[in-house]
Amino acid sequence: MIEIKHPHDLKRLRRLALATQGLLQAQPYGAGLVGARKAINHLGYVQIDTISVVERAHHHVLHSRVPKFKPAMTNQMLLDGEVFEYWSHAAAFLPIDDFRFSLPYKHAIKSGQTHWYKNPDKKLMGELLARIRSDGPLRSRDLETNTTKRAGWWDWKPAKKAIEQLYMEGDLMVCDREGFQKTYDLTERVLPSHVNSTMPSMDEYAAHLLDQQLRCHGFASLKGLTYLRRNTELRKTMKTLVNERLAQGLLEQVQVPSGEFFVLETGALERRLPRLNDRMLILSPFDNSVIQRDRLKAVFQYDYQLECYVPAAKRQYGYFSLPLLYKGEFIGRMDSKAHRKTGQLEIKLLHFEQHSFDEDRVIAAFVEAITHFSHFQACDSVSLATVHPKQLTQRLHRALKSLE
C-alpha cells in the first residue's frame, strides 16, 4: 500500500486524476465532432441536466475538453448512433458500444424495481408502444395538452409517465432531441445492428465499471466504483473483483491524508503525466471530475456543494457556482448567469479559496478563461458584482474592462 504523506506525492495523485479526465492537456481527444466522440468514449458518460442559467452540463463538460466543440454536436452524435441516452448514475449520454451495460438496470425496472413511478400503467404503455410501432417515432411534445404542467417529473400526465417508463424499461430509445424535447422510437429501430446487445453477467458488469473508472479517473474508491448504483449484488461482485486484482498484483492501494483508500493500477503513479500549465478551467457542477463530492474533498481538499437545491437564504456561494481549476488545484468558484437576450454574462460572485497564489497570473488566467466561457454562452460582455477576497475587486474590474 502507498501512503500519501508528502505534498509532492499528493500533487502527483491529483495530476493523475486530472490527466485521466482530460483536463490538463490542450486537446486530449482532438477537436470538434471527432474529439467529442472520443471524449465520451473515454469518460464513459456525460451527465444531462436541465438547468440552463449557463450552457447545459452535457455541453459544458465537452466544451471543457474539446476545442471547437459546438452544442449541436451532442445531438449529432445521437443521430449518428454513436451515443445513446440512458441512466448511468443519472441521466446521461453514453457510448453506444457500452449499450449492453445498460441492460441490467432496464431488466430491473421491467421486473418491478421503481425508478420514478410506482404502479406504471401497463395498458397505456401497450397502447403507446403499438402507436409508435405502427406510426413511427413519437415526440414528447406530441403528448402535451393545454393542462397546466406543475413542477417535477412526478406531475407529468399519464401518457408522459408511460412513455418514460417504456424508455426506462428499454423498449424505447431516444432517437432525436430538440433541447429537452425528446423523440422516442422502438429500440430495435434505433440501435445500430453492429452493437452488442447481450445481457452481461454480474462479473462482466463489475469488470466494465472497474476498467472504466480506472481509465477516466486514474484511481477509485470502492464506493466510487459503484457510485449511486443501488445494486447489492453488484457491490459484492465489485468488492470480490477488486480483492482478486489486488491479490494478483494488478492493482495497488493508496491512502490519502484524510484516511480514505483508493485503488489504482499497479505503477500508475510512476507514469509520465502532462505538466501543469497556467490555463484556468471553469467547470460544470456536473463535470465528471467533480461529481463524486467525497472523492473531491478527500483528494483535493475542495468542499463543494451545488446550492441550487439549498434555500436561497442558506446559500453561501450562490445558486449555480462553477468550480475553478488552476494548476492542479480547485482554487475557487463562480456563480454566474448568461443573459442570452442581451448577450451579457453576469458574474454574481467570484470566490477564491484561501490558497497562496500569484495574483497576477491567476487574474490573467481567469480573464482568458472567462473570455472563452462567455463566447461559449453566446455572450459578448461580462459584468462582475462581488469578489472574495475583496482586495482583488479593482484589479479584476480593470482586467475585465480590457475585454470590452
Side-chain angles (χ1 to χ4, degrees):
M1 187 187 73
I2 304 168
E3 276 192 83
I4 301 290
K5 291 183 177 179
H6 195 278
H8 172 78
D9 295 330
L10 184 58
K11 285 181 179 179
R12 185 158 186 82
L13 191 70
R14 291 171 176 173
R15 275 173 66 197
L16 176 62
L18 297 172
T20 49
Q21 274 288 302
L23 294 174
L24 294 185
Q25 309 92 313
Q27 47 177 28
Y29 314 109
L33 188 60
V34 171
R37 187 188 310 129
K38 287 182 178 177
I40 289 187
N41 285 333
H42 176 82
L43 295 169
Y45 78 94
V46 170
Q47 186 168 336
I48 299 169
D49 194 73
T50 58
I51 296 173
S52 60
V53 289
V54 293
E55 187 60 67
R56 288 188 170 96
H58 41 291
H59 300 144
H60 190 165
V61 169
L62 293 170
H63 165 76
S64 298
R65 293 163 173 82
V66 182
K68 299 181 182 177
F69 171 77
K70 300 285 190 295
M73 292 175 182
T74 312
N75 198 52
Q76 187 61 51
M77 288 187 287
L78 187 69
L79 292 171
D80 292 343
E82 294 168 340
V83 301
F84 72 105
E85 277 194 43
Y86 196 62
W87 202 257
S88 177
H89 70 268
F93 289 112
L94 301 138
I96 196 68
D97 288 342
D98 291 350
F99 177 81
R100 65 188 296 244
F101 298 105
S102 70
L103 297 177
Y105 194 56
K106 289 171 180 172
H107 178 73
I109 300 297
K110 194 163 245 185
S111 301
Q113 183 174 314
T114 299
H115 183 78
W116 282 308
Y117 314 122
K118 292 180 181 177
N119 306 315
D121 188 333
K122 297 290 186 183
K123 180 173 180 292
L124 184 53
M125 287 165 62
E127 290 168 0
L128 279 167
L129 205 56
R131 175 181 166 181
I132 292 170
R133 181 166 277 114
S134 62
D135 297 353
L138 186 66
R139 298 177 303 175
S140 53
R141 70 172 57 145
D142 295 334
L143 301 173
E144 290 178 0
T145 65
N146 294 323
T147 56
T148 303
K149 185 171 73 174
R150 300 188 299 276
W153 297 86
W154 50 90
D155 288 322
W156 281 17
K157 65 179 192 170
K160 284 191 172 182
K161 288 182 180 179
I163 204 165
E164 193 70 17
Q165 185 71 17
L166 286 164
Y167 161 73
M168 290 307 303
E169 291 187 7
D171 294 299
L172 299 180
M173 289 179 71
V174 175
C175 62
D176 194 6
R177 247 184 188 270
E178 285 181 54
F180 272 79
Q181 290 286 344
K182 294 184 277 193
T183 301
Y184 299 90
D185 200 356
L186 301 179
T187 292
E188 59 259 35
R189 293 203 291 235
V190 178
L191 191 66
S193 58
H194 69 272
V195 174
N196 186 345
S197 58
T198 57
M199 176 74 75
S201 68
M202 197 56 71
D203 287 340
E204 287 178 308
Y205 188 24
H208 164 72
L209 288 175
L210 176 56
D211 293 340
Q212 179 197 81
Q213 292 287 299
L214 295 178
R215 181 184 73 235
C216 72
H217 284 304
F219 53 90
S221 66
L222 201 56
K223 178 183 175 183
L225 288 168
T226 57
Y227 179 64
L228 295 186
R229 288 175 171 85
R230 297 173 297 163
N231 185 323
T232 305
E233 188 184 354
L234 175 63
R235 288 175 181 170
K236 287 180 180 175
T237 305
M238 181 66 77
K239 188 173 183 178
T240 300
L241 177 62
V242 167
N243 287 335
E244 285 175 358
R245 290 197 188 180
L246 284 168
Q248 293 164 354
L250 299 172
L251 298 179
E252 56 189 345
Q253 282 189 310
V254 61
Q255 185 180 25
V256 296
S258 59
E260 279 91 339
F261 289 90
F262 297 90
V263 294
L264 68 169
E265 290 179 357
T266 300
L269 277 175
E270 279 71 57
R271 290 178 194 156
R272 289 189 65 181
L273 295 171
R275 291 183 177 182
L276 300 176
N277 54 48
D278 273 349
R279 184 177 62 141
M280 183 179 290
L281 288 176
I282 300 166
L283 298 178
S284 167
F286 301 101
D287 194 280
N288 300 49
S289 65
V290 301
I291 198 65
Q292 294 187 34
R293 311 295 195 216
D294 291 344
R295 169 195 166 95
L296 187 64
K297 190 173 182 180
V299 176
F300 289 92
Q301 281 86 60
Y302 184 63
D303 192 3
Y304 178 74
Q305 179 187 13
L306 182 58
E307 295 182 319
C308 58
Y309 308 116
V310 174
K314 294 185 178 180
R315 288 177 196 147
Q316 188 177 359
Y317 301 109
Y319 177 79
F320 201 66
S321 73
L322 311 176
L324 303 180
L325 176 66
Y326 177 72
K327 297 201 82 157
E329 305 274 356
F330 287 92
I331 68 162
R333 53 199 94 197
M334 178 184 82
D335 184 38
S336 60
K337 181 175 182 178
H339 299 275
R340 296 175 182 90
K341 288 184 180 178
T342 59
Q344 184 193 58
L345 178 67
E346 177 191 8
I347 304 173
K348 299 181 178 184
L349 172 66
L350 179 60
H351 176 95
F352 291 106
E353 314 290 306
Q354 299 302 314
H355 287 278
S356 58
F357 50 70
D358 184 319
E359 292 180 0
D360 290 336
R361 285 189 168 193
V362 166
I363 288 172
F366 175 74
V367 170
E368 185 177 353
I370 204 68
T371 302
H372 290 302
F373 188 72
S374 60
H375 291 163
F376 180 54
Q377 311 302 321
C379 293
D380 51 21
S381 66
V382 180
S383 67
L384 175 61
T386 305
V387 178
H388 175 86
K390 287 183 180 178
Q391 66 261 28
L392 296 179
T393 304
Q394 286 190 339
R395 292 171 68 186
L396 279 159
H397 274 296
R398 282 198 299 270
L400 290 172
K401 203 166 182 64
S402 67
L403 300 180
E404 295 175 3

